[in-house]
Amino acid sequence: AQETSVTVYGRAHVSFESLKASGTKTKQVLNNNTSRIGFRGEEALGNGLKAFFQIESGVKLDDGGSGGSNALAGRESFVGLKSNFGSIKAGNFYHPYDDLHSISGNYFQLFTGTSNDATLWANGSTAATGGFDQRLPNAVSYESPTFGGLSAKLWYSFGPTSGSQEQLGSNGARAISANVLYANGPLKAAWGHLQQRRMQTHSASFYEDGFSNFITVGYQIGPVYLAALVERDKLKNINQSGNDRTRNYGHLLAKYTTGAHTVGAFYGKAYDWKGSAGRDDSGARMYTVGYNYALSKRTQVYTLYTNLKNQDAGAYVLGGSPVRAAGALADWATASEKQSGIVLGMAHNF
Amino acid sequence: AQETSVTVYGRAHVSFESLKASGTKTKQVLNNNTSRIGFRGEEALGNGLKAFFQIESGVKLDDGGSGGSNALAGRESFVGLKSNFGSIKAGNFYHPYDDLHSISGNYFQLFTGTSNDATLWANGSTAATGGFDQRLPNAVSYESPTFGGLSAKLWYSFGPTSGSQEQLGSNGARAISANVLYANGPLKAAWGHLQQRRMQTHSASFYEDGFSNFITVGYQIGPVYLAALVERDKLKNINQSGNDRTRNYGHLLAKYTTGAHTVGAFYGKAYDWKGSAGRDDSGARMYTVGYNYALSKRTQVYTLYTNLKNQDAGAYVLGGSPVRAAGALADWATASEKQSGIVLGMAHNF
Amino acid sequence: AQETSVTVYGRAHVSFESLKASGTKTKQVLNNNTSRIGFRGEEALGNGLKAFFQIESGVKLDDGGSGGSNALAGRESFVGLKSNFGSIKAGNFYHPYDDLHSISGNYFQLFTGTSNDATLWANGSTAATGGFDQRLPNAVSYESPTFGGLSAKLWYSFGPTSGSQEQLGSNGARAISANVLYANGPLKAAWGHLQQRRMQTHSASFYEDGFSNFITVGYQIGPVYLAALVERDKLKNINQSGNDRTRNYGHLLAKYTTGAHTVGAFYGKAYDWKGSAGRDDSGARMYTVGYNYALSKRTQVYTLYTNLKNQDAGAYVLGGSPVRAAGALADWATASEKQSGIVLGMAHNF
């Protein structure tokens, strides 16, 4: 236990937000945006082999609240081995599907908070409502080395262990994810894949199996960066009704950087859910425009305006968690038709 | 994320206590006294501007209990910027009112535990019973630079976010605090101010608005330090009854230091609550005498005797939380008339 | 608060396990095995006196779950003083009884997880079911210096503070533990003692008083290490019925180390509970065989097979918590008669 073997790192990120939803008054809040603290290290074992670990915890810098990702090891945490042949690790961490977020995602608020592209992308972050953007426990993964800009990741989660359906002998939920990434000079292109299987072993109100695939591309032209994503999601045997639901989604990103200044715009559109459990006018669109100023490589301030508009039957919510509650996948709660936020934030990496 | 950018600091503080309350037997306990661990750092941004952060968590060294201030970031936690023009920060931290605690407070047990002056000062630490000495979330503050010994702080809290009244569109509770401090050579003098507004948006059983003001002075004469505080508290529209309540409070502190030895005495007196929601004989007095021995600058052991005596209708409790429960502000629970403790403790700062 | 005064240390330990229990299907899981992160330091105070502290928290590396030993300071946490005359400390930590675990314990999985010898040793880790192998809060201890290989520890716990019976004035549960250790060259021999008193002040369904004593011996002969333990447990006045229960237990350990390779075998046997609250055929036996490979001094991988067989009325469970629930000490839940696990794990100390 040498002191120098552990690096303490993290991010302190808060924002002041003025939020508005149709039918209600404006609200002013101070928000924490996935602030975190982590501990990591690696050990050379000889012959190019290394052991590594990371223990990362969210911290609610606004109110000290605990639980979920704000518990010890509530964020990306794992232990593993790596060599010239790639790396293997095991723990509690996001899938390769999520690891591609940065290519075309809504970067203003560091992929979190009100402007979070997970508002529409991946159908949000709650498995119970069919979302694909969540950290899953009991995971193992393999990450390939990079050959000429090409790399791949494969990931498997044994699913949550606390659910009543996960007792010894049952067939629990499982998730599989993979990606392939090509990054060379100004170009990034990637495919992301996630499937969530046997979700009804957790709750009959879940869908049976869920599949999400996307392709995303980004290109840097001098000070300008342009990127796009197209995605298709499918949820099968919803609430054991035998009915399925399929959705298309896409987004565009543009940003311009000069010195410490970056301005950018993001536009995303979710189309109606189709199929036997589909619903007309269940789509939405969101856009964000913003300005980031880098006080240093580690510290930035920013301001942004983000705006979400649901169709008549749309139920998306700014920040990433659809209103549709667990156990109500076939129904649709009423979300505010229009939601918007003006945000002023600061993020400090350490 | 350079390792050297983060400092790990904290305090390990436990005490053995023999407690006595009138009408019950004696109790022997091992107590944790706000032990904590924290991580902080700052980054120079050029032109005298600096970014800084702190993430501080309480640790229950006696039993490993979690929650509240013992969660990650459960204690003073924030991120901010500072320059020659002062500092601004945002997060979860105490108000300027509390920051003056050390001028005339009951220092023996490091302003915590059984001898805590918050037993009477600020009417305790529970907002629901009208106390003013609590850490409040979602806060922002400005701290001025010091001009000839004079400095000031201004602080605003958007209030808790988890209460049912804090949904989008409601007018939630808010708190405002300020202080002005003059510290020059042997003299310290300060004014502390706190107001808690719209508390009934959290619970109808809360008071509507609460105000607390105090003036405190301390003076060092060679090895002797003398200090005093006078305070006035007001709670308005208690339980939506339209009735108000006002209280005066004061305390005196004297200590004598020679080498590693410090002996001291503290005396505090809370007068009756007056006004339409007042109550006769609701006052109390407490005193503490003690001895602290500094094993080093970072480590000390101490022993103390503390004694609280409530009047017939007094409901104060050693340690800082009045017995009067939330929702019972107009009523008065019965606290033990006399309470006392003999304490032997050790505190190690790291 | 100098940065260099605090050492960050810990362990990341996960295993893949294929588990089998009679009457149910096989289960494959990824398990966390008491991964932890800690902060510790010491300060020289002059004349050989030192202050020291440790704050240790479990981390659920598999799913980020919190609570219990996985809260801040949920594991071995204390502050104390040490000199040539020994050390005293106070906090939340294991007793001297447990500190002898490593002499003859089931080392494969680092004394945790499926192969944990606490499956049978000390009757498991849950006080409510009469187990003796738990961390107890509010503890103080004295550890002697070593004289010619001989040392001793004495420990006292004021018991949990959150139980309803622990209010001011009640006579709460208390625990006392001691050990004597002789370690000289190839030989280790020790006596461990633990008594848990007045447990019915926590719950009438607890036993009144519990006693456990064991003797354990280990001897290194070149690459071979042989060790054994014999233990006797007694639980008195079970469920306030006036009836007692007594059990014998013993185990054997053998391991062979060459270079980075260690192979070993463990065999433990719990005999029937005797006495007026005894039960025929309530015994069990377990064995483990395994192989550990040291990638470095800090990092190892291992594989093992462990197997538990209960007699007809046996209720032991792999991993250390008997099935007998709190409040049901006089009854016996049905555990799976046979349980086994094949485990592949990795542990990285930092």
Side-chain angles (χ1 to χ4, degrees):
Chain A
Q2 293 170 284
E3 186 174 4
T4 51
S5 67
V6 180
T7 298
V8 183
Y9 70 93
R11 179 188 296 165
H13 182 185
V14 296
S15 57
F16 173 77
E17 310 198 350
S18 183
L19 304 172
K20 199 173 171 181
S22 50
T24 60
K25 295 181 185 171
T26 298
K27 181 188 182 189
Q28 280 77 36
V29 293
L30 184 76
N31 264 356
N32 176 60
N33 292 299
T34 64
S35 298
R36 80 283 306 259
I37 188 164
F39 305 88
R40 62 184 168 209
E42 61 179 43
E43 180 193 19
L45 299 169
N47 297 318
L49 189 65
K50 288 180 179 175
F52 62 93
F53 79 97
Q54 179 172 298
I55 296 168
E56 190 175 292
S57 310
V59 288
K60 281 274 282 168
L61 210 59
D62 51 353
D63 65 5
S66 58
S69 63
N70 297 306
L72 276 171
R75 292 180 54 89
E76 305 297 282
S77 299
F78 44 77
V79 61
L81 292 169
K82 61 182 167 183
S83 72
N84 295 332
F85 300 101
S87 77
I88 53 170
K89 64 184 182 184
N92 178 40
F93 54 96
Y94 266 111
H95 33 60
Y97 178 92
D98 179 90
D99 293 344
L100 301 172
H101 222 131
S102 63
I103 294 177
S104 61
N106 203 350
Y107 72 94
F108 303 104
Q109 213 168 349
L110 304 177
F111 312 110
T112 184
T114 306
S115 72
N116 192 345
D117 50 31
T119 299
L120 300 179
W121 183 76
N123 196 33
S125 56
T126 305
T129 50
F132 289 97
D133 187 23
Q134 60 267 352
R135 184 177 295 112
L136 291 172
N138 302 306
V140 291
S141 78
Y142 168 73
E143 302 183 18
S144 82
T146 300
F147 300 102
L150 200 66
S151 63
K153 294 185 186 181
L154 191 59
W155 173 98
Y156 181 79
S157 165
F158 292 89
T161 48
S162 57
S164 59
Q165 302 295 322
E166 287 286 297
Q167 300 307 314
L168 186 65
S170 78
N171 292 307
R174 299 285 184 259
I176 298 170
S177 178
N179 76 26
V180 177
L181 168 65
Y182 179 75
N184 206 338
L187 175 66
K188 289 178 187 171
W191 164 69
H193 172 76
L194 176 63
Q195 46 182 282
Q196 300 182 157
R197 297 278 193 166
R198 300 180 196 167
M199 297 296 284
Q200 284 165 353
T201 60
H202 279 292
S203 162
S205 300
F206 278 38
Y207 50 92
E208 178 72 42
D209 296 318
F211 302 88
S212 185
N213 282 278
F214 65 75
I215 292 171
T216 183
V217 179
Y219 199 85
Q220 186 81 41
I221 314 163
V224 175
Y225 182 75
L226 298 172
L229 174 144
V230 291
E231 172 187 307
R232 187 171 176 82
D233 306 316
K234 180 164 196 167
L235 304 175
K236 298 182 71 170
N237 189 20
I238 289 171
N239 291 344
Q240 297 189 325
S241 66
N243 292 316
D244 301 345
R245 179 183 292 159
T246 305
R247 186 195 78 150
N248 291 325
Y249 166 73
H251 65 226
L252 298 169
L253 171 74
K255 62 180 177 175
Y256 172 83
T257 302
T258 175
H261 310 271
T262 300
V263 291
F266 173 92
Y267 179 85
K269 183 166 174 56
Y271 291 84
D272 288 357
W273 284 99
K274 301 287 190 184
S276 54
R279 182 156 168 130
D280 289 343
D281 296 324
S282 60
R285 66 101 183 110
M286 75 177 283
Y287 68 86
T288 306
V289 291
Y291 165 69
N292 289 47
Y293 179 76
L295 288 161
S296 76
K297 286 188 177 179
R298 287 166 45 196
T299 305
Q300 64 170 275
V301 289
Y302 61 84
T303 186
L304 62 87
Y305 173 74
T306 196
N307 181 298
L308 170 70
K309 188 177 178 195
N310 280 300
Q311 286 182 276
D312 285 355
Y316 297 96
V317 177
L318 279 182
S321 297
V323 162
R324 288 156 291 161
L329 268 180
D331 303 310
W332 297 80
T334 305
S336 291
E337 191 191 346
K338 297 177 184 176
Q339 300 161 46
S340 64
I342 298 173
V343 179
L344 178 65
M346 172 181 173
H348 172 65
N349 291 297
F350 56 88
Chain B
Q2 293 169 285
E3 185 174 5
T4 52
S5 67
V6 180
T7 299
V8 183
Y9 70 94
R11 180 188 296 165
H13 181 185
V14 296
S15 57
F16 173 77
E17 311 196 351
S18 182
L19 304 172
K20 199 171 170 182
S22 51
T24 60
K25 294 181 187 172
T26 297
K27 182 188 181 190
Q28 279 77 37
V29 293
L30 183 77
N31 263 358
N32 177 61
N33 291 299
T34 64
S35 298
R36 79 284 304 262
I37 189 164
F39 305 89
R40 61 184 169 209
E42 61 178 45
E43 180 194 19
L45 299 169
N47 298 317
L49 190 64
K50 287 180 179 175
F52 61 92
F53 80 97
Q54 178 173 299
I55 297 168
E56 189 175 292
S57 310
V59 288
K60 281 273 283 168
L61 210 60
D62 52 352
D63 65 5
S66 59
S69 63
N70 298 305
L72 276 171
R75 292 180 53 88
E76 305 297 284
S77 299
F78 43 77
V79 61
L81 291 170
K82 62 181 168 185
S83 74
N84 295 333
F85 301 101
S87 76
I88 53 169
K89 62 184 182 184
N92 176 41
F93 54 96
Y94 265 110
H95 33 61
Y97 178 91
D98 179 89
D99 293 346
L100 302 172
H101 222 131
S102 62
I103 294 177
S104 60
N106 201 349
Y107 72 94
F108 303 103
Q109 213 168 350
L110 304 177
F111 313 108
T112 184
T114 305
S115 72
N116 193 344
D117 50 30
T119 298
L120 301 180
W121 181 77
N123 196 32
S125 56
T126 306
T129 51
F132 289 96
D133 187 24
Q134 59 268 354
R135 185 178 293 113
L136 291 172
N138 302 306
V140 291
S141 78
Y142 168 72
E143 303 183 18
S144 82
T146 301
F147 300 103
L150 200 65
S151 63
K153 294 186 187 181
L154 192 57
W155 174 98
Y156 182 79
S157 165
F158 292 89
T161 48
S162 56
S164 58
Q165 301 297 322
E166 287 286 298
Q167 300 306 314
L168 186 65
S170 77
N171 290 307
R174 298 287 185 258
I176 299 171
S177 178
N179 74 26
V180 178
L181 168 66
Y182 179 74
N184 205 340
L187 176 66
K188 290 179 186 169
W191 165 68
H193 173 76
L194 177 62
Q195 46 182 280
Q196 301 182 155
R197 296 277 194 168
R198 300 179 196 167
M199 297 297 285
Q200 283 165 353
T201 58
H202 279 290
S203 163
S205 302
F206 278 39
Y207 50 93
E208 178 70 42
D209 295 319
F211 302 87
S212 185
N213 282 278
F214 64 77
I215 294 173
T216 184
V217 179
Y219 200 83
Q220 186 82 40
I221 316 165
V224 175
Y225 182 75
L226 299 172
L229 175 144
V230 291
E231 172 185 307
R232 187 170 176 83
D233 306 315
K234 181 163 196 168
L235 304 175
K236 298 182 71 171
N237 189 18
I238 289 170
N239 292 344
Q240 295 188 328
S241 66
N243 293 315
D244 301 347
R245 179 182 293 159
T246 306
R247 187 195 78 150
N248 292 325
Y249 166 72
H251 65 227
L252 299 169
L253 171 74
K255 61 181 177 174
Y256 173 84
T257 302
T258 175
H261 310 273
T262 299
V263 291
F266 173 90
Y267 179 86
K269 182 164 174 59
Y271 292 83
D272 289 358
W273 284 98
K274 301 287 188 185
S276 55
R279 185 159 167 127
D280 290 342
D281 297 324
S282 61
R285 65 101 183 110
M286 77 177 283
Y287 69 85
T288 306
V289 291
Y291 165 69
N292 288 48
Y293 180 76
L295 288 162
S296 75
K297 286 188 179 181
R298 287 166 44 197
T299 305
Q300 64 169 274
V301 290
Y302 62 84
T303 185
L304 64 86
Y305 172 75
T306 195
N307 182 297
L308 170 68
K309 187 175 177 195
N310 281 300
Q311 286 181 276
D312 285 356
Y316 298 96
V317 178
L318 280 181
S321 297
V323 163
R324 288 157 288 161
L329 267 180
D331 303 311
W332 295 82
T334 304
S336 292
E337 190 191 348
K338 298 179 183 175
Q339 300 162 44
S340 64
I342 298 173
V343 178
L344 178 65
M346 173 180 171
H348 173 64
N349 291 296
F350 57 87
Chain C
Q2 294 171 284
E3 185 174 6
T4 52
S5 69
V6 180
T7 300
V8 183
Y9 70 93
R11 180 188 295 166
H13 182 185
V14 297
S15 57
F16 173 77
E17 311 196 352
S18 182
L19 304 172
K20 198 172 169 182
S22 50
T24 59
K25 294 180 186 174
T26 297
K27 182 189 182 189
Q28 279 79 36
V29 293
L30 184 75
N31 264 356
N32 176 60
N33 291 299
T34 65
S35 298
R36 81 283 305 259
I37 188 163
F39 305 89
R40 63 184 167 208
E42 63 179 43
E43 180 193 17
L45 300 169
N47 297 317
L49 190 65
K50 287 180 180 174
F52 61 92
F53 80 96
Q54 178 171 299
I55 297 168
E56 188 175 294
S57 310
V59 289
K60 281 274 283 170
L61 210 59
D62 50 353
D63 63 7
S66 58
S69 63
N70 298 306
L72 275 172
R75 292 180 55 89
E76 305 296 284
S77 299
F78 45 76
V79 61
L81 292 169
K82 63 183 167 183
S83 73
N84 295 332
F85 300 100
S87 76
I88 52 170
K89 62 184 183 184
N92 177 40
F93 54 95
Y94 266 111
H95 34 60
Y97 178 93
D98 179 272
D99 293 346
L100 302 172
H101 222 131
S102 63
I103 294 178
S104 61
N106 202 350
Y107 72 93
F108 303 104
Q109 214 168 347
L110 304 177
F111 312 110
T112 185
T114 305
S115 72
N116 192 344
D117 50 31
T119 299
L120 300 180
W121 182 75
N123 197 33
S125 56
T126 306
T129 50
F132 289 96
D133 187 24
Q134 60 268 354
R135 185 179 293 114
L136 291 172
N138 302 306
V140 291
S141 76
Y142 168 73
E143 303 185 16
S144 81
T146 301
F147 301 102
L150 199 66
S151 63
K153 294 187 187 180
L154 190 58
W155 174 98
Y156 183 78
S157 165
F158 291 88
T161 50
S162 56
S164 58
Q165 300 296 323
E166 288 284 298
Q167 299 306 314
L168 187 65
S170 77
N171 292 306
R174 298 286 184 260
I176 299 170
S177 178
N179 74 27
V180 178
L181 168 65
Y182 180 75
N184 205 339
L187 175 66
K188 290 179 187 169
W191 164 67
H193 173 76
L194 177 62
Q195 45 183 280
Q196 300 183 157
R197 297 276 193 169
R198 301 179 196 167
M199 297 296 284
Q200 283 165 353
T201 60
H202 278 292
S203 164
S205 302
F206 277 39
Y207 50 92
E208 179 70 44
D209 296 318
F211 301 88
S212 186
N213 282 279
F214 65 75
I215 293 172
T216 183
V217 179
Y219 199 86
Q220 185 82 39
I221 315 165
V224 175
Y225 182 74
L226 299 172
L229 175 144
V230 291
E231 172 186 308
R232 186 170 176 85
D233 305 316
K234 180 162 196 168
L235 304 176
K236 297 182 73 170
N237 190 19
I238 289 171
N239 291 343
Q240 296 188 326
S241 66
N243 293 315
D244 301 345
R245 181 183 291 158
T246 306
R247 186 196 78 150
N248 292 324
Y249 166 73
H251 66 226
L252 298 169
L253 172 73
K255 62 180 177 174
Y256 173 83
T257 301
T258 175
H261 310 274
T262 299
V263 291
F266 173 91
Y267 178 85
K269 181 165 175 57
Y271 291 84
D272 288 358
W273 283 99
K274 302 287 189 184
S276 55
R279 184 159 167 127
D280 291 341
D281 297 325
S282 61
R285 66 99 184 113
M286 76 175 283
Y287 68 86
T288 305
V289 291
Y291 165 70
N292 289 48
Y293 180 76
L295 287 161
S296 76
K297 286 188 179 182
R298 286 166 46 196
T299 305
Q300 63 169 277
V301 290
Y302 61 84
T303 185
L304 63 87
Y305 172 75
T306 195
N307 182 296
L308 170 70
K309 187 176 178 194
N310 280 300
Q311 286 181 277
D312 285 355
Y316 298 97
V317 177
L318 279 181
S321 297
V323 162
R324 288 158 290 160
L329 267 181
D331 303 312
W332 296 80
T334 305
S336 290
E337 191 191 349
K338 296 178 185 176
Q339 300 162 44
S340 64
I342 298 172
V343 179
L344 178 65
M346 172 178 173
H348 172 63
N349 291 297
F350 57 89

